[in-house]
Amino acid sequence: MNFLGRFQQLGRAFMLPMIVLPAAAIFLFLSQLPWDLLGIPDTADYLQAAGHAIFTFLPYIFALGVSLGLTGNALAAGMAALAGMVIYVGVTGTADAQIEPTVFVGSIIGMISGFSYERFKNLRLPEYIQFFGGPRFVPLFVSVVTVILSMAMIGVAPLIQRMLEGLGDIVASGGGFGVFLFGFLYRILVVFGLHHLLSHVFWFQVGGYETADGTMVYGDLPRFFAGDPTAGAFMAGMYPIVMFALPAIAFAIIHEAREDLKPKIRKTFLYASLASFLTGVTEPVEFAFLFVAPYLFVVHALLSGIIMWITYELGIRHGFSFSGGVIDYIINEHLATRGWLLIPIGIVVGVVYYVLFRWVINRFRIPTPGREEGSQLDEWAGDIPYRAPLILQAIGGKDNIVQMESCITRLRLKVANEKLLDNNALRNLGAAGVLRLGGGNVQVVFGTYSELIRAEMLKAIERDQEQVLFSSPVQGRMIPLEDVPDPIFAGKLVGQGVAFIPDKGELVSPVKGTVIIVYPTMHAVGLRTQEGLEVLLHVGIDTSKLTGKQYFKAVVQEGQEVMPGDMLIRFDLQRVRKESKSLATPMVITNSDLVHSWRFAPFKAVKKGQSSVLSVVLKERNGGGERP
């Protein structure tokens, strides 16, 4: 795995244990309510104990979470990490100096467990001791390594503690500029999904604070929840960005959309802005302009850093357990310093962003969603099970997937062959962007439905149903078969399928199969797939009468084997458009009785040979025997 690929996996692993932190914040918030008025005064103590317990055992949570995140939830890796933490605490507890387990140590043990699992999961030992081979070797190996690590830490722990405190002093000496630099780099790293690596250092390691009971806690986030009044510098400035700036961008995109596309764009980006405002999930909005105007994203990153600098200089200290959304803002306000200032600052930031983005989009004609082909961020509710197989095809099929994980907003993939990815198909299927990090490591940004998409893709792989995947036979626009201006095709009397409006005079094969018929006028061709499906491709409506004028030229013969993308027919687009009823080109399966279910991609612009426009699952026949 290459450098960026390894670090994107590590970034996702750090995200997993952070999911539990909102529970701690909620418990601490609820502990402030007047439970004594309800006659249950002890509830406040219980809730406060629950919240603090999560922070107390945070090193264990990170060790377990990082190990699971690095290995796709391998239980052996998780058990190894948990055993490693128990051993570490036991060994370091024998030292004269008090050595507290930290998130840093938990993360190190989690990484050791994760990498050890990947290294030894297929270990083969002599048969008489093979019981300890494979995944069972991992907890044993990690236990030994942790003993050595623990012994070393007894000697170096005081030095590391001084280094962490010193690093905090260095960062603090940078003042507002240090906060600005953090904010700028954090926003840039969001593009690559590596921002969790940067935030992990500042939120969980930099700076120390001694609590009333003498316990040392490290990092901006734990210090904030432990009551350190100086903590929160690296989190407070996030609130104006995610609560106001990103929603303002979404509204600017809505208002700059074409009038005919505004209803759909409004619905899509209102949801995206609400996700950012409530939960701090910003990628659906950010990726809407990242790929069409990357320089604008750099401006956005610079403004983010400046906003964080301003909040720092104003003495605002606020924190969050997960992200800078309004839910975290309200829950954690009781621990903040001058947190109320974030609201007026956010309003000003929102106005600036809205005016700036509307002006830039209009002035430089940036093709944000809704200005040309509409939004790629479609509403997914209820549609994921149908699109998942098409997404799987656009990625190159199950055989192309080496590893597939997901975080909150993106699929994180390692593929065998990057050339098999169809970027245009993925965007048509709802991806806001596709990032190629090299070495087969790819990220596909689908927003907050990414985990559900991954689950449905895994179901499709596990079912392994017999299905046939269709590519686009033309360059143009895909339309429902019902929209074809011909009652025979529209009524599905010939068969079920889809149709296309071509904008180029070329028809290619959508499947692997055999040419079974080329009509004499060469306006249509029939194919039979190896699964037995018979596919009719018919260029235009009422084109059978176009004879003797070289309207069509077939480049295949009956009996010829073809692959997806192979040329079938060339035709004079302008003459066919002028002298036929319509250019609508149906692609139908004439023996639809073999089909169990149909899955259609969104009816949008397609490229010639583009994958994932249609997928059909075949019926089982003769107990799953061979098809004709």
Side-chain angles (χ1 to χ4, degrees):
M1 181 179 290
N2 70 338
F3 179 80
L4 280 179
R6 177 64 72 182
F7 273 87
Q8 74 145 342
Q9 186 181 18
L10 188 58
R12 177 193 175 275
F14 280 136
M15 191 63 196
L16 183 60
M18 290 184 65
I19 295 175
V20 75
L21 294 180
I26 292 172
F27 292 149
L28 293 177
F29 169 73
L30 293 177
S31 69
Q32 304 299 312
L33 299 180
W35 294 102
D36 52 339
L37 298 179
L38 299 176
I40 44 177
D42 292 339
T43 300
D45 294 333
Y46 298 151
L47 290 170
Q48 192 170 49
H52 287 306
I54 292 178
F55 286 103
T56 299
F57 291 96
L58 204 55
Y60 294 83
I61 294 171
F62 265 84
L64 183 62
V66 170
S67 65
L68 295 177
L70 287 173
T71 58
N73 299 324
L75 295 180
M79 179 61 70
L82 191 58
M85 280 302 303
V86 172
I87 292 170
Y88 175 84
V89 173
V91 174
T92 56
T94 63
D96 294 333
Q98 185 177 7
I99 301 176
E100 297 285 344
T102 64
V103 170
F104 172 75
V105 171
S107 300
I108 293 296
I109 292 177
M111 286 188 283
I112 292 173
S113 302
F115 295 146
S116 299
Y117 177 83
E118 294 300 324
R119 174 65 180 83
F120 298 117
K121 63 182 178 182
N122 297 317
L123 178 67
R124 298 186 65 179
L125 298 174
E127 185 176 351
Y128 51 87
I129 57 171
Q130 179 56 33
F131 174 81
F132 296 104
R136 287 186 291 271
F137 181 77
V138 177
L140 180 62
F141 175 80
V142 173
S143 297
V144 174
V145 172
T146 307
V147 170
I148 299 172
L149 174 67
S150 304
M151 294 169 60
M153 285 296 292
I154 291 176
V156 301
L159 175 62
I160 292 177
Q161 179 174 332
R162 289 195 296 271
M163 288 176 59
L164 289 175
E165 293 173 354
L167 181 59
D169 294 336
I170 293 173
V171 171
S173 67
F177 180 75
V179 176
F180 160 79
L181 197 59
F182 169 80
F184 172 73
L185 293 176
Y186 180 91
R187 195 54 54 192
I188 291 294
L189 290 175
V190 165
V191 176
F192 305 99
L194 303 178
H195 50 299
H196 303 307
L197 297 178
L198 179 68
S199 64
H200 179 79
V201 174
F202 286 86
W203 292 350
F204 294 101
Q205 297 177 29
V206 171
Y209 174 69
E210 185 174 355
T211 63
D213 61 2
T215 302
M216 288 294 298
V217 292
Y218 297 93
D220 208 37
L221 193 151
R223 288 193 292 116
F224 175 79
F225 284 99
D228 184 354
T230 66
F234 294 96
M235 294 182 285
M238 294 284 186
Y239 282 111
I241 299 166
V242 302
M243 287 172 55
F244 296 94
L246 271 300
I249 295 174
F251 281 102
I253 290 174
I254 291 171
H255 294 153
E256 287 299 323
R258 284 178 4 205
E259 289 299 324
D260 58 321
L261 295 175
K262 271 188 180 178
K264 181 179 181 181
I265 295 301
R266 182 180 295 110
K267 179 181 179 182
T268 297
F269 279 89
L270 281 177
Y271 285 138
S273 65
L274 194 60
S276 179
F277 180 75
L278 291 176
T279 66
V281 176
T282 63
E283 282 95 327
V285 176
E286 289 177 314
F287 277 80
F289 66 91
L290 168 63
F291 294 100
V292 295
Y295 58 87
L296 190 56
F297 193 90
V298 175
V299 173
H300 166 53
L302 287 169
L303 289 174
S304 298
I306 292 171
I307 293 166
M308 294 196 68
W309 192 344
I310 291 172
T311 59
Y312 175 84
E313 296 295 347
L314 290 175
I316 302 172
R317 300 295 182 265
H318 207 314
F320 45 75
S321 60
F322 180 70
S323 65
V326 70
I327 296 175
D328 255 312
Y329 176 83
I330 294 173
I331 289 176
N332 302 315
E333 172 61 20
H334 67 286
L335 297 173
T337 301
R338 308 188 75 188
W340 64 271
L341 280 174
L342 292 173
I343 300 301
I345 291 173
I347 293 173
V348 173
V349 166
V351 172
V352 170
Y353 261 79
Y354 176 79
V355 173
L356 173 65
F357 270 75
R358 283 207 67 176
W359 179 79
V360 171
I361 292 171
N362 186 55
R363 173 66 177 80
F364 298 101
R365 299 183 179 181
I366 297 175
T368 49
R371 289 176 62 81
E372 289 189 350
E373 296 180 3
S375 172
Q376 305 294 349
L377 302 172
D378 290 314
E379 177 58 27
W380 281 88
D383 203 20
I384 296 175
Y386 298 98
R387 293 199 192 188
L390 297 173
I391 295 170
L392 185 62
Q393 181 193 2
I395 290 171
K398 65 178 182 180
D399 294 332
N400 195 39
I401 298 176
V402 177
Q403 185 176 8
M404 178 171 62
E405 298 295 340
S406 62
C407 62
I408 295 173
T409 58
R410 62 191 81 193
L411 290 179
R412 297 174 182 260
L413 305 163
K414 183 172 178 60
V415 297
N417 185 355
E418 287 188 40
K419 294 181 180 179
L420 296 180
L421 268 72
D422 192 327
N423 287 15
N424 194 66
L426 287 168
R427 285 193 293 268
N428 281 345
L429 289 165
V434 180
L435 301 174
R436 298 171 184 254
L437 303 180
N441 296 285
V442 180
Q443 296 179 1
V444 187
V445 181
F446 280 112
T448 51
Y449 289 105
S450 296
E451 182 61 38
L452 297 177
I453 293 170
R454 174 181 176 272
E456 288 298 330
M457 289 172 65
L458 289 175
K459 289 179 183 178
I461 293 173
E462 292 170 359
R463 284 196 299 264
D464 199 23
Q465 294 173 308
E466 188 174 10
Q467 58 182 323
V468 183
L469 306 171
F470 287 76
S471 300
S472 173
V474 299
Q475 175 178 303
R477 180 168 54 91
M478 189 167 80
I479 63 174
L481 194 61
E482 294 83 353
D483 291 352
V484 173
D486 180 89
I488 302 298
F489 282 112
K492 303 179 182 178
L493 300 180
V494 179
Q496 169 71 293
V498 294
F500 303 85
I501 304 295
D503 55 28
K504 191 174 182 180
E506 295 179 340
L507 182 78
V508 301
S509 176
V511 291
K512 178 182 179 181
T514 305
V515 179
I516 57 175
I517 184 172
V518 177
Y519 284 74
T521 53
M522 293 181 285
H523 71 289
V525 62
L527 307 175
R528 178 182 290 118
T529 71
Q530 57 188 2
E531 297 83 7
L533 291 180
E534 295 180 356
V535 183
L536 173 65
L537 296 155
H538 192 286
V539 181
I541 301 301
D542 290 346
T543 50
S544 59
K545 62 184 179 181
L546 302 181
T547 60
K549 294 184 181 180
Q550 298 298 311
Y551 292 95
F552 304 96
K553 181 180 180 181
V555 296
V556 291
Q557 300 176 350
E558 293 180 6
Q560 183 175 333
E561 300 291 327
V562 292
M563 298 292 292
D566 287 353
M567 188 64 64
L568 299 176
I569 296 173
R570 288 190 173 92
F571 55 96
D572 189 323
L573 183 72
Q574 299 305 325
R575 295 178 69 181
V576 173
R577 176 187 284 118
K578 182 179 179 181
E579 301 185 36
S580 67
K581 182 177 180 180
S582 170
L583 274 178
T585 299
M587 177 178 73
V588 298
I589 298 174
T590 57
N591 55 346
S592 300
D593 58 300
L594 297 183
V595 178
H596 175 266
S597 61
W598 304 76
R599 296 182 176 95
F600 303 96
F603 296 104
K604 293 183 176 182
V606 293
K607 294 182 178 179
K608 180 181 64 178
Q610 176 183 312
S611 61
S612 307
V613 299
L614 171 66
S615 170
V616 298
V617 175
L618 304 182
K619 292 179 180 178
E620 293 188 5
R621 293 169 52 184
N622 301 323
E626 295 185 356
R627 297 181 182 281

